[in-house]
Amino acid sequence: MDQLRDKYITAIANAADEAALEDLRVQAVGKKGEISLKMRELGRMTPEERQTAGPALNALKDEINSAVAAKRAALADAALDERLRGEWLDVTLPARHKRRGTVHPVSQVTEEVTAIFADMGFAVAEGPRIDTDWYNFDALNIPSHHPARAEMDTFYMHRAEGDDRPPHVLRTHTSPVQIRTMEAEGAPLRVICPGGVYRADYDQTHTPMFHQIEGLAIDRDISMANLKWVLEEFFAAFFEIDGIKTRFRASHFPFTEPSAEVDIQCSWVDGQLRIGEGDDWMEVLGSGMVHPKVLRAGGIDPDEWQGFAFGIGIDRLAMLKYGIPDLRAFFDSDLRWLRHYGFAALDVPTLHGGLSR
């Protein structure tokens, strides 16, 4: 460990420019750097060995990052001094305009997730946020006595006396979009359904309005194996970790059979969550094979077609990837906190067209 430290601390101190410094950072603490590879070996160690090696590796990683930051600042100062010696500035000119807009983390993660699934052939489908209880519940095989249909969990639209239209709700998930897309396009089908959803809940990990992306794939010979591959490819791309481990646990959802909760590998080090390493597991989504009754409600013959579905909370993915501790901060905090987590304007095309500013 000391040899590794001396090697990189000395090399960082002698780095001649930003490019050389970045190469050293990647070699040391990048995804495939020497220290990162050693940290991946922790899972194969005994608990006693991890107690010694884990803190030492984390301390070394922090020291390397601090040395890189200090050297980068020194190089920037030297470059600025050189510019000041060679450039003339008219300090009486008005200041340049500075844009202050930022991309919200929910929007950014929606774009990231959409791009990943687009690479796997999933189109985007959207639908109304106010929908009938048939699309929101009945078509998804959710029985009338299910707790989710109670007014304490679901927002029902007000009906005036004598108004006999079917009950409407603020959708509790984006699954109604799956039914509408099946009705409109039939099978085969491969779509994701992003959007806002509403439930009567409010605490550190729940808000009355949040965001989901649900996926649906229908074909003649599709199976749980296809579902597992799609999700593992997604996790690897989103968290930028090759070979991230997943665990499927049997569960129950009215709209899928069989159903499974999906966990990803993680660990807690010094109170910080680390995805893709360690011996712990964290639940991230629900999934399963589409129930025949749901296929039939969407106008698809379950004797000829079958499919899988999954649902992911976009807000929760943003919290996991960017280290945001409280879901409520997305909606009711001073927006200056966004800069604390490194969010800035993106000059790239967005899902709905145009540039994100």
Side-chain angles (χ1 to χ4, degrees), residues 128-130 136 153 155 170-177 193-201 207-214 312-315 331:
R129 296 196 180 202
I130 299 175
N136 197 77
D153 291 316
F155 294 105
L170 293 178
R171 66 183 183 188
T172 59
H173 42 194
T174 57
S175 300
V177 182
C193 311
V197 297
Y198 305 84
R199 296 179 190 175
D201 209 349
T207 55
M209 192 275 282
F210 57 102
H211 303 82
Q212 282 186 339
I213 281 187
E214 298 192 11
I312 311 171
I314 299 174
D315 314 73
F331 308 106

Side-chain angles (χ1 to χ4, degrees), residues 133-134 137-138 142-151 153-154 156:
D133 66 345
W134 186 87
F137 295 122
D138 295 325
I142 299 175
S144 59
H145 60 271
H146 195 281
R149 302 184 75 147
E151 291 189 1
D153 291 316
T154 297
Y156 283 84

Side-chain angles (χ1 to χ4, degrees), residues 131-318:
D131 217 331
T132 67
D133 66 345
W134 186 87
Y135 280 106
N136 197 77
F137 295 122
D138 295 325
L140 294 161
N141 196 38
I142 299 175
S144 59
H145 60 271
H146 195 281
R149 302 184 75 147
E151 291 189 1
M152 67 181 66
D153 291 316
T154 297
F155 294 105
Y156 283 84
M157 306 303 294
H158 175 71
R159 281 283 182 264
E161 185 176 352
D163 188 341
D164 296 328
R165 288 179 296 168
H168 281 63
V169 300
L170 293 178
R171 66 183 183 188
T172 59
H173 42 194
T174 57
S175 300
V177 182
Q178 298 182 10
I179 300 296
R180 290 180 175 275
T181 306
M182 283 190 279
E183 288 180 336
E185 300 184 17
L189 186 66
R190 194 182 304 180
V191 294
I192 54 170
C193 311
V197 297
Y198 305 84
R199 296 179 190 175
D201 209 349
Y202 190 67
D203 58 32
Q204 186 174 355
T205 57
H206 300 86
T207 55
M209 192 275 282
F210 57 102
H211 303 82
Q212 282 186 339
I213 281 187
E214 298 192 11
L216 173 68
I218 299 174
D219 215 316
R220 296 190 185 277
D221 299 314
I222 214 160
S223 70
M224 288 287 286
N226 302 118
L227 168 64
K228 187 173 188 292
W229 179 86
V230 165
L231 294 179
E232 287 180 345
E233 288 293 304
F234 166 72
F235 293 138
F238 180 75
F239 291 109
E240 301 177 84
I241 299 172
D242 293 331
I244 184 170
K245 294 180 181 178
T246 60
R247 181 176 69 175
F248 284 63
R249 291 179 291 106
S251 186
H252 169 72
F253 304 112
F255 27 81
T256 52
E257 180 61 37
S259 303
E261 302 276 7
V262 181
D263 305 331
I264 57 174
Q265 176 191 18
C266 69
S267 67
W268 290 91
V269 179
D270 298 329
Q272 291 187 339
L273 174 67
R274 298 177 184 270
I275 301 295
E277 60 182 62
D279 300 320
D280 293 329
W281 298 93
M282 172 171 287
E283 176 192 328
V284 288
L285 60 88
S287 65
M289 299 300 293
V290 182
H291 197 289
K293 291 184 178 179
V294 175
L295 292 173
R296 192 171 287 111
I300 294 175
D301 186 351
D303 294 327
E304 293 188 30
W305 304 93
Q306 57 192 30
F308 64 73
F310 55 86
I312 311 171
I314 299 174
D315 314 73
R316 185 149 185 245
L317 284 177

